[in-house]
Amino acid sequence: MSSTSAPVEDDELTLPRASINKMIKELIPTVRVANESRELILNCCTEFIHLIASEANEICNLSRKKTINAEHVLKALDRLGFGDYRSEAEAVLQDCKEVAAKRRRQSMRLENLGIPEEELLRQQQALFAKAREEQAQADQQQWLQLQEAAKMASMQKSAEESDPDDYS
């Protein structure tokens, strides 16, 4: 491996700077943070994730599993001395499970309709076509009203010009 390829790999293994900057601004909105400090925070966050992921991977391997699951990550936090973060991590895990369950329920609702996806798509396209037609009719009606109003204004102006005393 050449020395020029190492920085590219390091860049690929970091968190997005914009995300870190947003978190910093949300957590401490009234404090200015120097760019060097932002970079240090970014590197610390990235290193923390690497550390937890490596430990979770080791726990996973010891369990003879092929996929790192949430319990492996929670055990990694404990083993590395970050047990204080466990309750917060469990709360985030619970939120993720709730979001996933909600998605599954929404997906099941579509499946439980008993209508093939192609039919739903056809119905949607028919509704769009109907809406476009109704809008075109409304636009046509508005155009006719504008033409009528312009015609009336033109007739009134012609009448005023032909007999200005009648409208004074």
Side-chain angles (χ1 to χ4, degrees):
M1 181 196 286
S2 69
S3 62
T4 58
S5 66
V8 173
E9 286 180 20
D10 286 345
D11 283 347
E12 291 172 5
L13 300 176
T14 63
L15 298 168
R17 280 175 175 73
S19 297
I20 296 296
N21 289 338
K22 184 178 178 188
M23 283 190 274
I24 292 169
K25 189 164 187 81
E26 286 176 5
L27 290 171
I28 46 175
T30 59
V31 176
R32 290 185 45 177
V33 180
N35 286 336
E36 296 165 350
S37 298
R38 290 176 187 272
E39 192 69 25
L40 179 59
I41 292 169
L42 174 69
N43 290 335
C44 288
C45 291
T46 302
E47 189 59 35
F48 180 76
I49 292 170
H50 284 266
L51 182 66
I52 298 296
S54 296
E55 189 68 21
N57 184 50
E58 187 176 317
I59 293 168
C60 178
N61 288 336
L62 290 172
S63 304
R64 294 197 172 113
K65 302 285 184 183
K66 293 187 179 188
T67 303
I68 298 172
N69 63 38
E71 195 54 43
H72 298 140
V73 175
L74 295 172
K75 284 182 184 176
L77 285 171
D78 290 335
R79 279 178 48 171
L80 293 169
F82 296 109
D84 293 349
Y85 294 113
R86 187 179 181 103
S87 62
E88 213 168 315
E90 287 171 336
V92 169
L93 176 61
Q94 185 60 36
D95 290 346
C96 289
K97 286 180 179 181
E98 289 170 9
V99 167
K102 185 177 179 182
R103 284 188 188 141
R104 281 193 300 276
R105 283 192 304 272
Q106 288 174 338
S107 175
M108 291 301 292
R109 270 189 276 182
L110 181 63
E111 292 170 12
N112 291 337
L113 285 175
I115 302 172
E117 191 173 340
E118 295 81 20
E119 176 60 18
L120 289 171
L121 182 60
R122 188 199 63 72
Q123 289 176 9
Q124 182 185 41
Q125 289 171 340
L127 288 170
F128 285 156
K130 182 179 176 187
R132 280 192 297 271
E133 183 179 318
E134 288 173 356
Q135 185 61 49
Q137 288 175 353
D139 290 348
Q140 179 67 23
Q141 186 66 30
Q142 186 179 17
W143 173 250
L144 291 173
Q145 288 173 347
L146 287 172
Q147 283 184 323
E148 186 64 32
K151 182 178 174 184
M152 294 297 282
S154 177
M155 287 174 51
Q156 185 176 4
K157 186 176 181 181
S158 294
E160 288 175 359
E161 289 173 355
S162 65
D163 195 5
D165 292 337
D166 289 347
Y167 296 95
S168 315

